[in-house]
Amino acid sequence: MVNGGQRCEKAGAEGRDENRSGAAPADGTGGIHMTNFMSIVQQIIGGFGTTMLIFFFTLLFSLPLGILFAVARMSKFTPLRMFMQLCISILRGTPLMLQLIVVFFMPFYVFGIKLSTGWRLYAALIGFSINYAAYFGEIFRAGIQSVPTGQREAAEVLGFTKTQTFWKIVFPQMVKRVIPPVTNEVITLVKDTSMAFAIAYAEMFTMAKQVAAQQSNIMPLFVAGLFYYIFNIVVAAGMGMVEKKLSYFE
């Protein structure tokens, strides 16, 4: 009986040792999770390219268009000034999503043109560019008007034309002064690219929502948020370098 009890105690001790040594089951769940994470990243990267496309082309078109908006907004020709003021008010006062929908469907409802799949990208670029040009236009207008009038008068005394005065004296100072608010708008644009889903254009966040729906998992949305965050860090760092480079105007 004693020997039997000793054998039972020994077997129990060995069982407890095995439980301690095998506390973490080797079922490979960590590897599965990592594989799933990498799969999500690969699928979202496909949409990241379209997000970058919208972002860069919107800046390419909206920045120069914003200068035109600012010049028209300050025009001495009253009808042009009032018309531009009304346009900017509408663009800033209505949702970007609504503007994208209007741009996308306008060719069909106004001109009866059949819409193609490729038109979605062009509609997104037009809608984003016009909307952000309105914001940039007001920022540029404030920057131009912040340059002291005495500098324009001094340029006129030196024989500068109005065009030379604007591009050689006013414009460089305006650029330096508007970098911080422009940076805010550029960072907002990074996030606003997700609004392209309104016209069924598959950018990064749309891809993330599709993956999340397929997997019944919200992880793809957080991964997309991480992409936006990293992109914004890069944008902010780049704009900070530009601002530092232009600090010689101070």
Side-chain angles (χ1 to χ4, degrees):
M1 293 293 294
V2 174
N3 291 339
Q6 291 176 346
R7 283 196 297 270
C8 290
E9 290 177 0
K10 185 176 181 181
E14 291 176 351
R16 288 192 296 271
D17 291 341
E18 288 177 358
N19 288 337
R20 292 193 190 99
S21 62
D27 58 355
T29 55
I32 292 174
H33 291 161
M34 180 56 66
T35 302
N36 186 42
F37 176 80
M38 294 306 298
S39 174
I40 292 172
V41 170
Q42 290 175 358
Q43 294 180 72
I44 291 179
I45 285 178
F48 183 67
T50 58
T51 294
M52 294 278 287
L53 186 68
I54 295 174
F55 174 78
F56 284 112
F57 276 100
T58 297
L59 286 184
L60 180 65
F61 297 134
S62 62
L63 287 172
L65 189 59
I67 295 176
L68 294 178
F69 279 19
V71 172
R73 180 76 169 76
M74 296 184 297
S75 175
K76 294 181 179 180
F77 184 56
T78 303
L80 175 61
R81 185 176 67 252
M82 297 299 293
F83 173 75
M84 186 52 60
Q85 184 176 356
L86 176 62
C87 290
I88 291 176
S89 176
I90 293 173
L91 290 170
R92 296 174 66 192
T94 57
L96 174 58
M97 184 186 301
L98 175 62
Q99 295 172 29
L100 291 172
I101 293 172
V102 169
V103 172
F104 180 71
F105 287 106
M106 182 181 292
F108 176 76
Y109 286 108
V110 176
F111 304 106
I113 300 175
K114 185 177 180 180
L115 303 178
S116 63
T117 304
W119 170 242
R120 298 182 191 279
L121 173 60
Y122 296 114
L125 294 179
I126 293 172
F128 277 107
S129 297
I130 295 177
N131 178 270
Y132 272 84
Y135 287 93
F136 288 142
E138 286 298 281
I139 292 173
F140 294 156
R141 180 184 64 82
I144 292 171
Q145 292 178 338
S146 69
V147 177
T149 307
Q151 298 193 26
R152 297 186 181 88
E153 295 174 349
E156 185 178 354
V157 170
L158 293 172
F160 283 72
T161 64
K162 289 185 177 180
T163 303
Q164 290 174 328
T165 301
F166 178 79
W167 290 110
K168 293 184 178 182
I169 297 177
V170 176
F171 183 77
Q173 296 182 69
M174 179 272 290
V175 171
K176 172 63 177 68
R177 297 176 187 213
V178 303
I179 285 295
V182 166
T183 300
N184 289 336
E185 291 300 324
V186 172
I187 289 175
T188 302
L189 173 60
V190 173
K191 297 175 288 185
D192 277 353
T193 54
S194 62
M195 300 294 289
F197 83 91
I199 54 176
Y201 186 71
E203 39 66 55
M204 181 170 63
F205 198 72
T206 300
M207 296 291 293
K209 290 192 295 183
Q210 292 175 355
V211 176
Q214 292 172 359
Q215 299 186 1
S216 299
N217 186 0
I218 64 171
M219 178 59 69
L221 303 180
F222 288 107
V223 174
L226 180 62
F227 271 86
Y228 283 115
Y229 180 63
I230 294 174
F231 192 13
N232 272 327
I233 289 177
V234 173
V235 169
M239 297 298 288
M241 292 173 61
V242 172
E243 184 176 3
K244 186 177 180 180
K245 199 171 185 65
L246 295 174
S247 61
Y248 61 83
F249 285 114
E250 296 179 351

